[in-house]
Amino acid sequence: MEKFTVHTGVVCPMDRANVDTDAIIPKQFLKSIKRTGFGPNLFDAWRYLDVGEPDKENAGRPLNRDFVLNQPRYKGASILIARKNFGCGSSREHAPWALADYGFRAVIAPSFGDIFFTNSFKTGFLPIVLSDLQLDHIFHACAAFPGYRLTIDLPQQTVNLPDGKAFNFEIDPFRKYCMVNGLDDIGLTLRHAEKITAFEIKRKLEQPWLFGNHAS
Amino acid sequence: MLMQTTLYDKLWDSHAVHSEEDGTTLLYIDRHLVHEVTSPQAFDGLKLAGRKVWRINANLAVADHNVPTTDRSQGIEDPVSRLQVDTLDKNCAEHGINEFKMNDPRQGIVHVIGPEQGATLPGMTLVCGDSHTSTHGALACLAFGIGTSEVEHVLATQTLIARKARNMLVNIEGPLPRGVSSKDLSLAFIGQIGTAGGTGYAIEYAGSTVRALSMEARMTLCNMSIEAGARAGMIAADDTTINYVRGRPFAPQGPMWDHAVNYWRTLKSDPGSKFDRVVEIDARTVKPQVTWGTSPEMVVAVDGRVPDPEKEKDASRREGMERALKYMGLEPNAPIQNIRVDKVFIGSCTNSRIEDLRAAAAYVQGKRIASNIRLALVVPGSGLVKREAEREGLDRIFRDAGFEWREPGCSMCLGMNDDKLAAGERSASTSNRNFEGRQGAGSRTHLVSPAMAAAAAIAGHFVDVRTWR
């Protein structure tokens, strides 16, 4: 997993509430058995005027010029800002994969779908919660200044604005530790392998029906 | 003095292997259900890291999202879908994981077959790489959806790194009016608290209405928890639960059964338990529901009208409503019952169980689908549901009315196979999501109960099943 420490990047505004993971990456692309390559189909139905398919070349497809990702001023954006309940719906981890594959490193919103939020950390893609008021401020500034950039400082847990403001954000210490160090959490969990085994043995004694008698 | 604990607290505490100071907990997972869409990258990751599956018989696999619902004798035509299903077969064979293959009579939607097989048991923690895993909480277990990295984590360690959610009680009292189902309860609840209302919570459904519901109806209620934003929904164990589990293939038998039942009887919130949030619903006031927009919270009763964005004061909500109405091709203030539909879908992990099919068939018997209906599909949740429905003659009722009777799978709920809406087509659907493009690019979905979908197929538009004949 890619480490996340301090990142500065162009901000792309997605001024919508309840952006669901079906919108982030439509179902036809979920047929892939890989973790990569979803970037060109990120927000496919909003980004293109035709219907995308997994085997379709994306280069020549007609673009929806009104859609934010297609506007020249947001070219190369790596920080997405959005409204409440971003990433609601389906558990598809393909959503943060697609956002990361496109080049986004972080998304800032007032709230997130729970599963999307969890999945994002596993991808090295940072979801940040700020208040509605703080996001209003960023949305306004982003509209006013082309090429608007933010700096996200994960060790300090701040979003730094060009006007000198800094917004603090919360993150679980364990998640922060994994993100900052780019750690694979399976490796970390397996440090507790003996504890898991001991728990399992006890459980097998107490509730043996969970361990045997399997139809096949 | 002992603290009164909730069902969720009990399930959580009994599975905590290790806790960090910040509350991060290693949670033991009893059952892992696997399907073809969210698992290939997890198996790949396992292989890359040289890791093995921790406890093979904790896993049960089935292909459901991509499978065709038409004739399967020739396999899967779409090469991309076929590769994904083949990959599941290969991974399961390689690791020795029990898989119900496409032509196995027990194949079906993962959230239908878990309970049906007794692979879902009270008191378990159960996860699956699918957000509707909340369904299984109907059996008094802690069940929730996970992403692919977590699928890999469970395969490799039999645990998940998790943080405890807050407790929400949804207390539903009173008898359900005729023509109103648990799907309507669920949609009404989501309309009340919003699709983010349950975010960060584990929901327990309780009250006299819930106690009177069948297991199938309870599964529908828990299934939709994620549409309220809650990863998990659950219901205390009672006689209904225990009678449902009895005799199922994976369920304990003999003396072990009695031992298990004694434990399962404890799976309920203690009287006086504290919940972080309580929502009260009077079932007697709930009417059949129809969604009008592109989020499950955009819902009204069948005797209502499409809402008018001009009456919405909040600017951001108003914009959302306008965008939804434009996408849905609906006019503000139009009566819901004037909305004509093109296709009808009865199926999905929300509403494809035998009781759902019976409820739908009751409105179809002796009638024909309306001339404007281009396709009416019934997709049973599993091969065993299909077999039972055929035994009861429900397939004839549907076929005689002009419905197509299909093979089990996720089908038009998300259209990963050929079952889709064309752009601009409008459905009455018993599924769970009306998101833009969910049932196909440009699709327009109205979420309803099985009875409401069946009646819409016959009438050609939405009707109030409480009075319609």
Side-chain angles (χ1 to χ4, degrees), chain A residues 13-177:
Chain A
M14 177 143 303
D15 200 356
R16 290 189 185 215
N18 299 318
V19 172
D20 58 73
T21 54
D22 274 81
I24 297 172
I25 184 80
K27 73 313 214 90
Q28 62 270 37
F29 306 107
L30 270 49
K31 295 179 184 182
S32 167
I33 57 171
K34 300 198 176 81
R35 262 176 204 265
T36 52
F38 296 102
N41 300 109
L42 174 70
F43 296 115
D44 196 276
W46 293 345
R47 193 165 154 196
Y48 301 98
L49 294 171
D50 63 348
V51 177
E53 290 299 335
D55 48 2
K56 197 164 176 175
E57 184 57 50
N58 294 298
R61 294 177 57 197
L63 294 175
N64 172 9
R65 298 281 170 196
D66 294 336
F67 185 59
V68 280
L69 289 194
N70 294 327
Q71 293 170 17
R73 64 183 286 184
Y74 304 120
K75 196 170 183 325
S78 60
I79 298 171
L80 190 68
I81 55 172
R83 299 297 186 179
K84 75 164 178 84
N85 206 23
F86 186 86
C88 61
S90 151
S91 68
R92 59 190 70 171
E93 195 164 314
H94 312 65
W97 292 342
L99 286 158
D101 196 63
Y102 177 86
F104 284 114
R105 293 298 323 273
V107 53
I108 311 174
S111 60
F112 291 94
D114 272 345
I115 308 179
F116 173 85
F117 192 71
T118 306
N119 287 344
S120 295
F121 289 103
K122 315 273 179 183
T123 307
F125 172 75
L126 182 63
I128 295 174
V129 176
L130 291 181
S131 72
D132 284 307
L133 273 177
Q134 289 169 328
L135 273 153
D136 280 345
H137 182 84
I138 298 174
F139 267 102
H140 286 141
C142 187
F145 305 108
Y148 186 76
R149 292 155 83 90
L150 290 172
T151 295
I152 296 166
D153 185 332
L154 179 55
Q156 294 299 318
Q157 295 181 218
T158 56
V159 175
N160 304 323
L161 282 60
D163 62 8
K165 277 199 176 68
F167 296 143
N168 295 309
F169 64 89
E170 296 296 318
I171 179 172
D172 294 339
F174 181 75
R175 282 176 167 155
K176 178 175 168 180
Y177 173 73

Side-chain angles (χ1 to χ4, degrees), chain B residues 202-432:
Chain B
I203 296 177
E204 180 179 347
Y205 300 94
S208 61
T209 317
V210 175
R211 283 194 299 275
L213 292 176
S214 68
M215 278 318 291
E216 279 93 344
R218 292 179 185 186
M219 287 183 221
T220 303
L221 197 54
C222 289
N223 171 279
M224 294 289 284
S225 302
I226 186 65
E227 307 316 326
R231 244 172 135 163
M234 65 201 76
I235 295 172
D238 61 8
D239 286 343
T240 304
T241 322
I242 289 158
N243 290 335
Y244 177 89
V245 174
R246 193 191 310 271
R248 295 192 180 264
F250 286 72
Q253 285 159 11
M256 218 191 283
W257 167 260
D258 299 326
H259 185 26
V261 168
N262 283 339
Y263 172 62
W264 295 344
R265 294 270 181 211
T266 68
L267 297 171
K268 55 189 173 193
S269 291
D270 297 330
S273 295
K274 287 268 181 298
F275 287 85
D276 301 290
R277 186 172 175 192
V278 177
V279 177
E280 299 280 352
I281 295 174
D282 182 352
R284 288 164 300 190
T285 64
V286 176
K287 300 170 179 176
Q289 304 283 307
V290 181
T291 64
W292 54 267
T294 53
S295 164
E297 70 187 18
M298 294 173 162
V299 65
V300 290
V302 66
D303 57 2
R305 291 169 181 271
V306 175
D308 188 344
E310 283 195 12
K311 291 177 189 151
E312 175 59 53
K313 291 197 179 73
D314 180 85
S316 140
R317 281 181 67 93
R318 188 167 57 242
E319 274 172 40
M321 288 169 77
E322 282 165 352
R323 184 155 44 214
L325 289 182
K326 185 166 176 243
Y327 180 85
M328 292 296 290
L330 292 174
E331 292 299 323
N333 304 310
I336 291 293
Q337 293 181 49
N338 285 5
I339 300 173
R340 294 171 76 78
V341 300
D342 305 306
K343 288 182 177 169
V344 172
F345 172 58
I346 297 173
S348 86
C349 59
T350 312
N351 280 132
S352 64
R353 298 176 183 83
I354 188 68
E355 189 178 282
D356 300 316
L357 304 190
R358 288 181 193 137
Y363 287 87
V364 167
Q365 188 150 30
K367 302 194 174 76
R368 285 286 305 172
I369 59 173
S371 57
N372 58 305
I373 302 293
R374 295 174 197 159
L375 178 69
L377 276 187
V378 185
V379 183
S382 72
L384 297 181
V385 169
K386 181 170 185 257
R387 186 188 288 174
E388 173 58 22
E390 287 170 355
R391 199 188 62 78
E392 296 178 20
L394 303 183
D395 60 323
R396 288 261 42 108
I397 294 175
F398 285 117
R399 282 188 162 131
D400 289 348
F403 281 80
E404 293 193 15
W405 180 250
R406 296 286 188 88
E407 299 296 326
C410 300
S411 181
M412 202 190 275
C413 175
L414 85 168
M416 275 190 80
N417 64 358
D418 288 336
D419 308 338
K420 290 178 206 170
L421 298 182
E425 274 186 336
R426 188 180 297 287
S427 73
S429 178
T430 67
S431 54
N432 39 57

Side-chain angles (χ1 to χ4, degrees), chain B residues 77-137:
Chain B
E77 202 180 328
D78 173 5
V80 196
S81 289
R82 189 172 62 233
L83 175 64
Q84 203 164 50
V85 174
D86 287 350
T87 304
L88 180 70
D89 291 352
K90 184 176 72 68
N91 284 327
C92 288
E94 204 172 304
H95 293 279
I97 290 171
N98 192 0
E99 184 197 3
F100 295 169
K101 295 217 172 137
M102 192 168 73
N103 290 317
D104 189 309
R106 300 168 298 178
Q107 182 269 341
I109 304 172
V110 67
H111 307 310
V112 174
I113 69 163
E116 185 174 79
Q117 290 295 321
T120 307
L121 292 173
M124 275 183 163
T125 44
L126 180 152
V127 295
C128 172
D130 189 281
S131 60
H132 290 107
T133 307
S134 57
T135 311
H136 307 260

Side-chain angles (χ1 to χ4, degrees), chain B residues 141-185:
Chain B
C141 58
L142 175 56
F144 53 93
I146 56 177
T148 298
S149 293
E150 290 187 310
V151 168
E152 185 180 338
H153 196 281
V154 173
L155 286 170
T157 73
Q158 212 54 51
T159 64
L160 273 179
I161 300 168
R163 284 181 71 89
K164 201 170 173 190
R166 286 171 290 173
N167 280 285
M168 182 190 289
L169 176 69
V170 179
N171 193 52
I172 315 176
E173 295 290 348
L176 267 185
R178 198 178 69 87
V180 178
S181 71
S182 66
K183 179 66 164 290
D184 300 302
L185 281 178

